[in-house]
Amino acid sequence: MTTRTPTYAPTDADPAATLVARLHALRDRVAVLVEHRSVDDPTAGDPLRGLYLSEEAVRHLLRPVEPVVLGLPAAEQPYDRLADLSARLGLTELDGALLLIALAPDLDRTFEPLYGYLNDDVSRRRATVSLALDLLGVPVHSPAARARLHATAPLSALGLLTVEEPERPFLSRSLRVPDRLVAHLLGDDTPDATLTGHLHRLTAPPRSHDGQEPFADGEFGEFVERLAARLTAGPPLNVYLRERREGDGLVCAAAALERAGVPALRFSGPEDRVPELLREARLAGLAVVVAGLPEQPAGLVRELAAASDVPVLIAGPRPYDPQWCDRDPLSLDVPVQHAGAPAVWSAALGEEPDFDLAATVAPYHLPGDRIARAAHAARSLARFDGTPLSAAHLRLAARQQSASGLEQHARRIRPAVDWQDLVLPERPLAQLHELALRARHRDRVLGDWRLSAGGGRGRGVLGLFAGESGTGKTLSAEVVAAELGLELYVVQLSSVVDKYVGETEKNLERIFTEADRTDAVLLFDEADAVFGKRSEVKDAHDKYANMESAYLLQRLESFDGIAVLTTNLRANIDEAFTRRLDLVVDFPFPDREQRLALWRHSLSHVPCAEGIQPGSVAADFELAGGSIRSAVVTAAYLAAGRGDLVTGADLLEGARREYRKAGRLVPGEGAW
């Protein structure tokens, strides 16, 4: 909820003083009516008046009485919340007077016995319909006056007045004003207690050091400008903002409201709290913003659409469904906010960092409110470490704000490697750098420069890593994720592939949908299990297998995330998938020099005996990088068991064990 004071409320005024002055005038009118009622009333001095009716009292009630014409005097105070509320909500003078009469016992207990006397019932200490009309000098049979208390009239429809006890005759029904309205008229702007936990602060987008909005230029800025202009012109706007990326709709709404100077409430509660929400908005002259619709949003949208006097902005990723509501809102597609992302981060940080901010934040697609929270968290992390703000702090904070539901279907890996951990030929290494570069600059190239292929295609980055087991495919995906400052999620095929028809596609859709909204790298290990070649249809199994492949082809077209596919057999991948890939990286089996480099890299942190040379095992044993690491681990355990340093014999034994695991002939041992 915004903290700005509504523009209609003078800060030096005392609303309670004006209301008390009105009550003093009302008390004078009550006194006149009491005196008028007591003339020739045989029960006027009876202490049990109102508890029983004598014959003489009945005859008195049957006498015709001329109504006393009483008007509401103008308030003497310069600021009157009741008058202001009446003007903003289109209430009549009669409506305002009815509210004042109804709320009097809530502010002054002396009205209770007076109302009891006038109601001829000491137990009924609130104003009734009859008493209110009598105090105003309005005939109780006036259809215009009675209509102001109808359920569809403004007082009841806007939640300002409740006509209680529907089982009683209309004239004897009690009038009650909600406590929240009484508090508002006294100057208390604390939201209704029933809305606790459902109202949130609507954070305005941060501004740069020169006071400019970071996204003032571009398609997103133009859209915000048009929306702000519409909010300040014409009747209250009811709009549905469909966002392509989660959070952009909320950022757009906050920016437009900020530019239009309209304070707002952000609501995330159930539909049964909407009446209190709308009343709160009407009392303070606020707009309502809703982001994150429930699974079945029809009731909530219908309730909000009924408020034609309150600006309502709803943001969500789903297209608007006409079945939700009879009164359709203005449905708009929110442009993706990407061009000014570094400027938004800079404004949120409030300082110019001494590292390349644009390169650091390029992989992240957080909405504006998440950017502000990430910037705050990054500054807190830097203070905790006692160091200046660094790119590592910002990346960690950004990852924390990009919480994901992918862990239900994938295994998360927090990258702890870098380019130094890769021992690869020049060509695949260059391709990996290019993959990271594409992930950083895809918004600029595909968005700003409009090089997207169109047709609803997404801005995802897709790479295929092909090579034998242990050649570094998974490690390379982890290095790319580390370079981008993202987490790596390895898809568990056991949780994806299902024997029932259509379930595999559903599981994959959940993964892709979550990956689209999460800043992470998605890894499909052994991808040929789900991205394999389509075959000739010979039976039902072939038919449904081809349907899975067709679904994947379509889904990859609209994918917006970063995904890496790995396979031991590139030939098993369908050519249609290959065409949709940005890069295909071949991981060759390491030659002798690369094997030696891998042995040395694996031993770099291991305590080794003096003069140890892994050159002989590198030459004699043709092992991939993963097997070399396993051999070094075996050697380290052998040395640790002896309480000694790793020796050449330990390395030789480790290499031999890797050969035996693979069922290969160990050099120097002969057949076994």
Side-chain angles (χ1 to χ4, degrees), residues 47 68 159 209 245 250 268 301 335 355 422 464 485 531 584 614 653 657:
V68 179
H209 305 291
R245 190 181 63 200
L250 183 60
S268 64
V301 175
F355 53 86
L422 287 180
L464 174 66
F531 295 88
V584 177
E653 179 60 24
R657 291 191 183 183

Side-chain angles (χ1 to χ4, degrees), residues 412-440:
R412 183 178 65 173
I413 297 177
R414 292 181 176 176
V417 292
D418 56 28
W419 295 106
Q420 302 300 321
D421 294 300
L422 287 180
V423 180
L424 291 172
E426 182 178 348
R427 180 176 178 80
L429 195 60
Q431 288 179 303
L432 292 177
H433 280 284
E434 182 183 345
L435 185 64
L437 182 143
R438 283 174 176 258
R440 277 202 179 94

